[in-house]
Amino acid sequence: FSLSLLLHPDSGYAQGQMAVGAPPVGQPLVNEGEFAVSLASALGITTTNDDVEAESRLGDIGVAPRNGWIADYPVTPDILAELQNAVGDAASSGRLSMGADEARNKFFEVAVSFGLKVKAYTAGAPYEPTPASCQNYPNPIVVNNTFSSEGAPIVTYYCPPPDYYEMYTWVPCPFWWADLWFPGFFILHDFHRVTRIHHRVVVISNHFNDVRTHRAFRIDPAERFRGKTFAGIGVTRPKNFIPTGVTRGERTIFNPPRANRAPALPTSIAPPREIAPTRIAPPVERPAPPAGIRESPGRELRR
């Protein structure tokens, strides 16, 4: 079946068939705060339900994304790769009361509990993206239908439709989803949404406000991947990151208290669709729409 999809991909999409185990069009969402709470408990660090405390305790032993913990920012494949390495290093150096293999297994269990079957790509030489366009993708009927019916997902591993393409940033971070390899992912330039995670209402955002100075900050996903971004909890050398000019801004801005989070949602959220995987090379620059498709302005996100 997999071979037939590779040889005749259009037929599978046209009939709406979905490969078992393929990731959904929109990546399951979890913010760093919720992930830190579960990870800290799994590693035996603390059983707190407060995300800032969990992030602080993990940061104290060196378990944090490269730019530190930022509570409302989504956990993407590059962040998972950074945390995977940090957990292994913390266990190997004796900062965790377990071996490296056990610690990594617990980390993967936490990721899977949030629907993220992502593992960092470590085989061979570092991946170098080559120029490509969305014309390399098979007929994306399921992707188009999902975007039209559910709106633009914050994170997707598939090429967005032409009407939405300019809304996304390409992050060339290769990874495995279960046994499927992906060369990177797409993430919206700007996003701020309220969603439900494990029966808890949370915010997923790359926009942050300091109400005291009336300043707004935005995490650029591409710049974050390149190492230039604001510093969150757990960063030992903040001089390497963009300063906010706000005292303890990593806590007061990027890690707001849980009491300030959104109220409960009145309606349930439908699970994302799944589609068959593709083997493609990622674009370095934003390509023109595929031949025969007229480019049009991006559609406004649904509220």
Side-chain angles (χ1 to χ4, degrees), residues 184-198:
F185 62 93
F186 293 88
I187 181 170
L188 289 172
H189 301 303
D190 299 282
F191 52 89
H192 185 96
R193 296 184 186 174
V194 177
T195 187
R196 196 188 302 272
I197 301 174
H198 289 180

Side-chain angles (χ1 to χ4, degrees), residues 14-228:
Q15 298 174 15
Q17 297 178 354
M18 298 177 288
V20 176
V25 174
Q27 177 194 271
L29 293 175
V30 56
N31 60 16
E32 291 186 11
E34 295 296 320
F35 195 91
V37 168
S38 293
L39 182 61
S41 176
L43 295 178
I45 304 300
T46 177
T47 57
T48 181
N49 287 324
D50 181 78
D51 47 10
V52 176
E53 181 180 349
E55 292 167 352
S56 299
R57 297 289 298 275
L58 289 169
D60 289 341
I61 61 171
V63 176
R66 181 171 52 185
N67 64 292
W69 293 98
I70 296 178
D72 289 341
Y73 196 79
V75 177
T76 49
D78 54 334
I79 291 176
L80 285 169
E82 294 165 11
L83 288 174
Q84 175 184 328
N85 294 332
V87 167
D89 292 343
S92 298
S93 61
R95 297 192 298 269
L96 287 173
S97 59
M98 62 185 70
D101 289 340
E102 181 183 359
R104 280 190 288 262
N105 287 336
K106 289 184 178 298
F107 167 77
F108 292 135
E109 290 174 0
V110 171
V112 171
S113 73
F114 289 107
L116 299 172
K117 302 176 183 179
V118 173
K119 291 186 179 182
Y121 176 75
T122 57
Y127 180 77
E128 294 293 340
T130 56
S133 75
C134 286
Q135 294 177 354
N136 296 92
Y137 285 74
N139 184 18
I141 292 178
V142 177
V143 175
N144 291 342
N145 290 341
T146 300
F147 272 73
S148 297
S149 62
E150 301 176 11
I154 290 178
V155 181
T156 182
Y157 307 156
Y158 307 97
C159 187
D163 285 351
Y164 296 85
Y165 196 89
E166 294 299 319
M167 299 165 60
Y168 284 87
T169 293
W170 167 256
V171 180
C173 173
F175 61 93
W176 293 93
W177 176 284
D179 59 347
L180 303 174
W181 183 83
F182 288 85
F185 62 93
F186 293 88
I187 181 170
L188 289 172
H189 301 303
D190 299 282
F191 52 89
H192 185 96
R193 296 184 186 174
V194 177
T195 187
R196 196 188 302 272
I197 301 174
H198 289 180
H199 307 293
R200 193 195 303 272
V201 177
V202 301
V203 173
I204 305 289
S205 181
N206 69 333
H207 291 263
F208 310 92
N209 297 311
D210 179 32
V211 295
R212 296 173 302 172
T213 62
H214 304 289
R215 295 180 60 189
F217 302 88
R218 182 182 72 89
I219 301 296
D220 185 311
E223 291 299 316
R224 202 217 75 84
F225 178 70
R226 300 186 187 106
K228 183 180 180 182

